Amino acid sequence: MSQRKPIDVYLKPAGGWDALKSSWHALREQQVVMKGAGTLLRTNQPTGFDCPGCAWPDRNAHSTFEFCENGVKAVANEATSKRVTRDFFAAHTVAELAHHDDHFLEAQGRLTEPMAYDAASDRYVAIGWDDAFARIAAALNALASPDEAIFYTSGRASNEAAFLYQLFVREFGTNNLPDCSNMCHEPSGVALTEQLGSGKGSVLLEDFEHAQAIFIFGQNPGTNHPRMLGELRDAARRGCRIVAFNPLRERGLERFANPQKPADMLPGGQGVRIASDYFQPRIGGDLAVAMAMAKGVLERDAIDRDFIAAHTRGFDAFAASVQAAPWSGLERESGLARTQLEQAAQVYIDSDATIVCWGMGITQHHRSVATIQMLGNLLLMRGNVGKPGAGPCPVRGHSNVQGDRTMGIYEKPADAFLDKLGAEFAFAPPRAHGFDTLDAIAAMRDGRGKVFFALGGNFATATPDTAQTQAALRNCDLTVHVSTKLNRSHLVHGRAALILPCLGRTEIDLQAAGPQAVTVEDSMSMVHLSAGMNPPASEQLLSEPAIIARLAAATLPHSRTPWLALVEDYDRIRERIARVVDGFEDFNARVRTAGGFHLHHPNRERAFPTRDGRAQFVVHPLTAATGMEDAPLTLMTVRSHDQYNTTVYGLDDRYRGVHGLRRVCFISREDLQRHGFGDGELVDIVSVWNEAGGVREREVHGFRLVEYDIPPGCLAAYFPETNPLVPLDSYAERARTPASKSIPVRLRKAMPPA
């Protein structure tokens, strides 16, 4: 635990010397100072490995330093010298381990061999790989229907692993392929596909060099995508206006000192100012913000009429709906004054090339699809799609979450994809849609899902409605997790359970044809190679493609797919991908060019593959009914700076001034006074939701209130600690992403847990 006081105010710029100190501490804590330093020099390099952290693209294929503080933490935790062996499991029952927090579990080190749960001793015991695959195959083949099996995917799986995985699942006979996209950027894909004909952002890194304005909605790059701050710093220095919308004051959006820039690191330096304009809407107010900016554009007649006429449809209906929205309603719903909204609109009008970025602060709301399409409307109004320095930029999380979806990890696959997949591998893929993440939880809870297999991730912790999710997993006949480290999901298991340890990104993947490289797709559709350099943490580790191939061979003895031959040389997998997945023609040759290749995006050429070849203006009402009951406060879940998704590296949140704590709740001074609480007081947080049978409350206990710069009526707290507050049926309209950023709650003085 840090020796600093638990709560202070951080006045330095993001990055800087503190980022270097934190990086050094991460390497030292994992006992890999020398090994880790050498490993980092191969991070995001043409002959190295892709960082296992975020999906932000690489700026310079020939730069020595293409990593950030949080990338150091991710690499150090994977390259750690610590090991979780059979002796560790012999010394600890599952019940005992379950009492430890997620930070403790992560800190134990790398898994070293396959383990099977032994109910008699409540311990995991070692099992051979062949026996493990035989057990899984027997359980799968004993099901009454393939749809009783659920196959989850994390965003860190490579393209090769994801392609083999979805092929195996579909040859087995189901489309039950929920993935982490269901919980993060699903609304981005739904919104953009309907509106622009492609579910991906059209922006490249080079566009940040030409943008005159960059708008950032619901995103905290200082913690979640730190390398993005380098692009924002350079843009700000050349005069680009950067406009941030975030209920919280986030230090990374205010000032940044790039550790790679000597001028930024001078003693007493304050770095570079990032946001030229910083607005704090109320939680869920971004739809009203975008509509108000559109109203300002219309009132100033600042639209691009030629672009609208040539490339869009639906403008008149959209314009009429925006003009009819009263400024008073826009102010109320956004939480901002009209002068602030008009100021933002003027920045947009003054820019001839604008990028709009957003993160999960936009996607995890009930009306996230509507909000993203309103941002799309805003871009279309001034022709900010398909020209240099402009376009939509959804900033995704895990380093290959976008690539996994490209490879076919999707519960609702397109018929055209299934046609090509079936023709290539000589089978008839199932056509019925499968379970998304929320469906999967409900199916396991209700006994319709009996086998749960996870390719990476920490399902028990990442998902909403923790009590129901964990009960659902425990209701399974078998749960299986492919993992590198111990996590909560190994302790929340079915009647039978297996842990299958795999290679990490930093490790050498040696197959019959020699060392192998995999490929990943970043957040801007660049596809490139990734090859590890470190010896595996254990001789018993298998790569993800090898695990999938051996499981498929055991489960599907009559399959025509040469599973084991494919993983002898990953070029063979890529040859098959090239014949099935659009945009991957001549895959093996193109991916070996420096920096890889860009997947063609039609919007960059002002082509819109919608039903009529035009981009669509979409009308959305300012307000809409939800299932929320009246509650005095709205809570949003956030990450700490010592965290990446469910992986907790430490107990500090440097930029928000929190040290050694995680059960904290950020609250405004006004709300402390209004509700009769004091800064530092312990409270329980209670969520309120209207469900079948009446209003139901969920609660979490013992959170310390922290006075913070956040709008009245709004709270923020870390996940996964607050995931129990999110009901399964609280999700984004038409995208079903958990609404973890808009939880109606009330506070009460802390009570001892029952």
Side-chain angles (χ1 to χ4, degrees):
M1 179 181 295
S2 170
Q3 297 303 306
R4 303 176 67 180
K5 61 182 181 180
I7 308 293
D8 59 20
V9 178
Y10 193 80
L11 300 177
K12 303 176 187 178
W17 288 106
D18 282 347
L20 294 179
K21 293 176 186 176
S22 177
S23 299
W24 165 256
H25 176 75
L27 295 173
R28 186 179 59 185
E29 184 178 19
Q30 299 303 325
Q31 302 169 11
V32 289
V33 173
M34 296 304 295
K35 174 185 175 183
T39 303
L40 287 167
L41 295 178
R42 293 282 295 278
T43 306
N44 299 322
Q45 299 299 309
T47 59
F49 62 91
D50 192 73
C51 178
C54 76
W56 189 254
D58 306 331
R59 160 55 65 180
N60 184 351
H62 303 288
S63 169
T64 305
F65 299 99
E66 280 292 333
F67 54 85
C68 64
E69 175 191 349
N70 280 9
V72 173
K73 294 174 185 175
V75 170
N77 273 38
E78 183 176 295
T80 180
S81 64
K82 301 176 184 179
R83 299 289 182 265
V84 177
T85 66
R86 63 174 65 186
D87 292 338
F88 173 88
F89 286 110
H92 301 282
T93 65
V94 168
E96 177 191 343
L97 291 172
H99 286 292
H100 289 284
D101 62 19
D102 295 308
H103 179 225
F104 171 88
L105 299 177
E106 172 72 22
Q108 299 314 299
R110 291 289 300 278
L111 297 162
T112 58
E113 61 183 316
M115 306 298 293
Y117 179 66
D118 176 62
S121 63
D122 189 35
R123 286 175 168 84
Y124 277 97
V125 297
I127 185 175
W129 278 108
D130 288 341
D131 288 341
F133 292 132
R135 286 194 191 185
I136 302 168
L140 290 173
N141 288 324
L143 296 173
S145 164
D147 292 329
E148 292 181 336
I150 294 163
F151 299 90
Y152 178 74
T153 319
S154 160
R156 286 185 180 174
S158 66
N159 287 329
E160 291 73 16
F163 184 79
L164 287 186
Y165 192 52
Q166 62 82 30
L167 173 62
F168 160 61
V169 171
R170 292 187 168 112
E171 281 202 33
F172 179 67
T174 184
N175 283 312
N176 286 348
L177 282 160
D179 71 329
C180 57
S181 289
N182 296 148
M183 294 185 286
C184 57
H185 269 280
E186 196 73 61
S188 299
V190 171
L192 294 176
T193 299
E194 291 179 354
Q195 189 168 35
L196 304 178
S198 174
K200 301 178 181 181
S202 63
V203 169
L204 293 177
L205 273 186
E206 63 194 49
D207 289 307
F208 281 77
E209 300 172 6
H210 304 289
Q212 296 178 19
I214 300 170
F215 286 77
I216 301 173
F217 287 85
Q219 188 191 358
N220 177 22
T223 288
N224 300 330
H225 310 88
R227 284 191 295 145
M228 182 180 180
L229 292 183
E231 300 298 330
L232 297 178
R233 170 197 179 276
D234 293 346
R237 282 175 59 87
R238 64 173 175 78
C240 176
R241 295 287 292 273
I242 298 174
V243 184
F245 290 93
N246 195 315
L248 290 167
R249 297 294 296 193
E250 299 288 16
R251 195 58 179 153
L253 288 170
E254 295 178 317
R255 304 197 76 87
F256 172 60
N258 190 336
Q260 298 182 31
K261 303 293 183 181
D264 289 8
M265 303 296 284
L266 293 174
Q270 289 300 305
V272 174
R273 180 183 178 186
I274 299 299
S276 54
D277 305 88
Y278 201 126
F279 301 106
Q280 294 177 261
R282 72 175 185 86
I283 292 174
D286 302 278
L287 174 62
V289 169
M291 187 178 291
M293 290 177 61
K295 189 177 182 72
V297 171
L298 289 171
E299 289 183 350
R300 291 161 179 78
D301 194 25
I303 61 174
D304 186 335
R305 299 184 186 278
D306 292 339
F307 175 85
I308 291 170
H311 299 289
T312 74
R313 57 183 159 89
F315 174 74
D316 290 342
F318 161 72
S321 71
V322 170
Q323 289 169 330
W327 278 108
S328 59
L330 294 168
E331 289 180 300
R332 181 185 66 253
E333 294 299 318
S334 68
L336 299 177
R338 177 174 177 175
T339 54
Q340 294 174 299
L341 296 168
E342 290 183 324
Q343 178 183 342
Q346 191 61 53
V347 174
Y348 182 56
I349 292 169
D350 291 341
S351 168
D352 291 327
T354 300
I355 294 172
V356 173
C357 305
W358 66 89
M360 289 166 62
I362 295 296
T363 63
Q364 290 187 328
H365 289 274
H366 296 281
R367 304 200 67 203
S368 55
V369 173
T371 301
I372 294 165
Q373 290 184 336
M374 195 60 67
L375 295 175
N377 290 335
L378 197 60
L379 287 169
L380 293 174
M381 293 177 78
R382 290 184 48 76
N384 278 305
V385 180
K387 68 180 182 181
C393 182
V395 184
R396 289 175 164 86
H398 265 152
S399 63
N400 199 43
V401 63
Q402 185 162 298
D404 287 352
R405 184 57 62 87
T406 302
M407 290 296 109
I409 301 293
Y410 190 34
E411 74 278 1
K412 294 179 284 191
D415 286 337
F417 173 82
L418 295 180
D419 290 342
K420 296 179 73 173
L421 186 72
E424 176 65 24
F425 292 95
F427 79 108
R431 300 284 167 159
H433 289 174
F435 296 147
D436 64 14
T437 296
L438 299 182
D439 287 330
I441 296 169
M444 291 186 288
R445 178 197 63 196
D446 300 339
R448 294 177 288 115
K450 300 181 184 301
V451 174
F452 177 82
F453 188 103
L455 184 65
N458 185 359
F459 191 85
T461 299
T463 43
D465 215 336
T466 305
Q468 286 207 56
T469 296
Q470 296 192 359
L473 288 167
R474 291 190 172 103
N475 198 36
C476 290
D477 293 334
L478 173 66
T479 53
V480 184
H481 295 275
V482 178
S483 307
T484 58
K485 306 283 283 291
L486 185 65
N487 67 47
R488 182 71 49 191
S489 294
H490 304 144
L491 313 178
V492 182
H493 53 75
R495 285 174 280 277
L498 289 160
I499 302 173
L500 307 182
C502 66
L503 293 172
R505 287 272 182 87
T506 62
E507 292 170 321
I508 298 169
D509 182 354
L510 185 62
Q511 303 297 335
Q516 300 296 306
V518 296
T519 62
V520 296
E521 177 186 344
D522 65 32
S523 196
M524 294 181 184
S525 302
M526 293 295 299
V527 180
H528 54 272
L529 287 167
S530 173
M533 55 161 308
N534 291 332
S538 164
E539 293 181 355
Q540 293 205 50
L541 301 185
L542 295 180
S543 71
E544 288 180 326
I547 290 172
I548 297 161
R550 290 180 61 174
L551 174 59
T555 307
L556 307 171
H558 303 296
S559 171
R560 299 180 183 179
T561 300
W563 296 102
L564 301 182
L566 286 174
V567 295
E568 291 176 351
D569 184 342
Y570 294 174
D571 277 0
R572 298 172 185 173
I573 305 173
R574 287 187 281 270
E575 288 172 1
R576 298 299 191 103
I577 293 172
R579 294 199 287 266
V580 173
V581 183
D582 291 342
F584 284 81
E585 298 79 10
D586 203 16
F587 190 2
N588 277 313
R590 293 164 65 204
V591 81
R592 284 179 165 85
T593 60
F597 65 94
H598 180 248
L599 289 173
H600 175 256
H601 197 301
N603 292 173
R604 291 188 63 79
E605 300 163 359
R606 293 191 164 177
F608 302 98
T610 59
R611 58 181 173 81
D612 60 358
R614 289 175 172 265
Q616 178 182 356
F617 282 94
V618 187
V619 174
H620 289 290
L622 182 58
T623 59
T626 70
M628 289 187 290
E629 291 297 311
D630 289 336
L633 298 162
T634 302
L635 172 74
M636 58 186 278
T637 65
V638 297
R639 296 173 180 163
S640 78
H641 191 63
D642 259 358
Q643 173 183 2
Y644 194 79
N645 289 348
T646 60
T647 302
V648 178
Y649 300 125
L651 302 179
D652 291 351
D653 190 358
R654 185 171 75 247
Y655 296 149
R656 299 189 184 110
V658 177
H659 303 279
L661 300 171
R662 283 194 57 83
R663 298 184 81 81
V664 297
C665 180
F666 300 100
I667 185 172
S668 70
R669 177 177 299 179
E670 293 91 328
D671 282 328
L672 284 173
Q673 296 172 348
R674 180 180 298 113
H675 297 284
F677 294 111
D679 184 25
E681 188 170 351
L682 293 182
V683 299
D684 298 335
I685 308 174
V686 183
S687 70
V688 187
W689 188 254
N690 186 17
E691 300 182 64
V695 176
R696 179 180 171 184
E697 296 183 348
R698 292 167 173 80
E699 55 192 58
V700 292
H701 300 274
F703 280 69
R704 175 174 174 163
L705 292 175
V706 175
E707 183 181 321
Y708 204 79
D709 191 350
I710 188 172
C714 301
L715 305 174
Y718 304 133
F719 77 89
E721 287 82 355
T722 48
N723 284 0
L725 300 174
V726 186
L728 284 184
D729 55 356
S730 175
Y731 51 75
E733 299 168 351
R734 298 190 297 117
R736 293 175 53 80
T737 296
S740 301
K741 297 293 189 288
S742 51
I743 312 170
V745 300
R746 56 184 173 83
L747 303 177
R748 70 179 183 212
K749 292 184 182 295
M751 301 172 59

